[in-house]
Amino acid sequence: MGSTKLFVTLCVLPLLASSFCSAQLSANFYASSCPNLQTIVRNAMTTAVNGQPRLGASILRLFFHDCFVNGCDGSILLDDTSTFTGEKNANPNRNSARGFEVIDTIKTRVEAACNATVSCADILALSARDGVVLLGGPSWTVPLGRRDARTASQSAANSQIPSPASSLATLISMFSAKGLSASDMTALSGGHTIGFARCTTFRNRIYNDTNIDATFAATRRAGCPASGGDARLAPLDNTQTRFDNNYYTNLVARRGLLHSDQELFNGGSQDARVRTYSTNGATFARDFAAAMVKMGNISPLTGTNGEIRRNCRVVN
């Protein structure tokens, strides 16, 4: 009994090493209670990503932004109401977090198959994995058993999700605070091999940074004016609908779109790892998959903590 109490205590520490709690999650958590769960999620994600490949990146980003704010607890999915302030309007999410309707669709289908059983947090974890796979990336076994938060934190979303203007030191520190190493951070950043970024997030990079390929900067300036056009999009790498290692090839060529991307290859501690990934896609894929499992283990609500939301947008 004493060791169980100790384990639970460790699991609620805010700055835990993520591995403390992973033992509470299990790949077979829904094997008997919702045996078709993974098929339901994969089928819905296949439809979504085939219709709009960008959604694979959008949902991967939702999962990252969920896990970095009080753990992987589905809090990012909660809507603001007159009496509740969620995370959707925090600076890192406002006008950019997307894919919520896909999660709604999956939740509706999962509820029809096994009601009040599967958390929104777990649906998001599975959807993020499937989006990566559908765009040609690696697969991994997703540990399951997370429960859904009844609360959210706009302030934590504003302070704990790394900004695209972050320095390497800041990135390492912010990932370390979640139990993730510098090498985990560099592998997870490779999620930017898919999807798009808004002009407002890379304007300063293309107009003011000096560690940038001149031709690349000129190309991006053509679609992102020095003022205005904040919502205009540019691909995060040149194969934005294929999950590959081109993100790292671009970094070596000084063609990282975000300042925080190029920080990984700018004379610092991660240069060698970036070079390795740029020439060895299999190594990147392996490390990315392992880091995704580790990120998915950040502070899960388990046991009787939290709830199983019926609708991912509102607490029960």
Side-chain angles (χ1 to χ4, degrees):
M1 184 68 187
S3 61
T4 303
K5 282 183 177 174
L6 173 63
F7 187 71
V8 172
T9 303
L10 288 171
C11 267
V12 297
L13 287 174
L15 299 183
L16 79 169
S18 57
S19 56
F20 277 141
C21 297
S22 58
Q24 290 203 338
L25 302 179
S26 160
N28 302 314
F29 190 83
Y30 300 108
S32 57
S33 61
C34 197
N36 294 324
L37 169 62
Q38 304 223 18
T39 301
I40 295 168
V41 174
R42 177 63 62 92
N43 288 345
M45 282 298 295
T46 300
T47 300
V49 172
N50 284 349
Q52 187 185 140
R54 183 186 172 198
L55 281 167
S58 300
I59 287 171
L60 177 61
R61 184 171 184 259
L62 283 185
F63 185 54
F64 167 48
H65 284 203
D66 185 35
C67 291
F68 263 56
V69 181
N70 298 328
C72 311
D73 61 1
S75 58
I76 194 172
L77 304 173
L78 293 168
D79 283 342
D80 286 7
T81 71
S82 58
T83 57
F84 180 87
T85 302
E87 296 163 17
K88 290 184 177 180
N89 284 300
N91 292 331
N93 297 327
R94 190 174 57 250
N95 300 324
S96 66
R98 59 194 303 277
F100 297 109
E101 296 78 11
V102 178
I103 303 301
D104 292 339
T105 296
I106 297 171
K107 178 63 170 172
T108 298
R109 294 179 185 176
V110 170
E111 285 294 305
C114 16
N115 72 300
T117 302
V118 181
S119 67
C120 299
D122 277 343
I123 287 172
L124 183 54
L126 287 167
S127 300
R129 188 269 312 272
D130 287 354
V132 168
V133 171
L134 289 162
L135 293 176
S139 188
W140 57 93
T141 299
V142 178
L144 299 166
R146 300 167 191 82
R147 287 168 65 86
D148 295 321
R150 295 190 182 96
T151 59
S153 177
Q154 188 179 93
S155 61
N158 279 325
S159 64
Q160 295 179 23
I161 296 171
S163 138
S166 298
S167 67
L168 179 60
T170 296
L171 291 169
I172 291 172
S173 172
M174 293 182 83
F175 276 74
S176 176
K178 304 300 175 185
L180 298 167
S181 68
S183 50
D184 293 331
M185 180 271 294
T186 298
L188 289 168
S189 296
H192 286 175
T193 180
I194 51 175
F196 294 81
R198 293 176 305 141
C199 171
T200 186
T201 64
F202 61 85
R203 176 181 288 122
N204 195 57
R205 162 112 177 109
I206 61 174
Y207 285 97
N208 297 317
D209 281 4
T210 55
N211 60 342
I212 188 167
D213 175 79
T215 303
F216 173 73
T219 300
R220 288 291 160 257
R221 286 174 188 166
C224 177
S227 62
D230 282 3
R232 292 189 186 181
L233 299 175
L236 281 158
D237 88 354
N238 53 331
T239 53
Q240 71 272 12
T241 60
R242 191 171 76 239
F243 197 100
D244 55 26
N245 65 331
N246 275 359
Y247 169 79
Y248 299 99
T249 308
N250 291 345
L251 295 185
V252 172
R254 311 278 182 208
R255 289 174 168 239
L257 183 63
L258 305 179
H259 178 84
S260 55
D261 289 330
Q262 197 60 58
E263 280 288 287
L264 303 183
F265 189 84
N266 192 36
S269 64
Q270 299 307 296
D271 282 18
R273 187 168 296 274
V274 169
R275 281 196 189 277
T276 296
Y277 291 163
S278 75
T279 58
N280 194 325
T283 299
F284 161 56
R286 181 198 69 205
D287 289 357
F288 179 84
M292 283 295 294
V293 172
K294 198 170 170 184
M295 185 176 78
N297 288 338
I298 299 174
S299 310
L301 294 170
T302 57
T304 56
N305 294 317
E307 65 183 17
I308 303 298
R309 246 178 257 154
R310 303 296 185 99
N311 173 346
C312 293
R313 293 175 180 266
V314 293
V315 295
N316 291 344

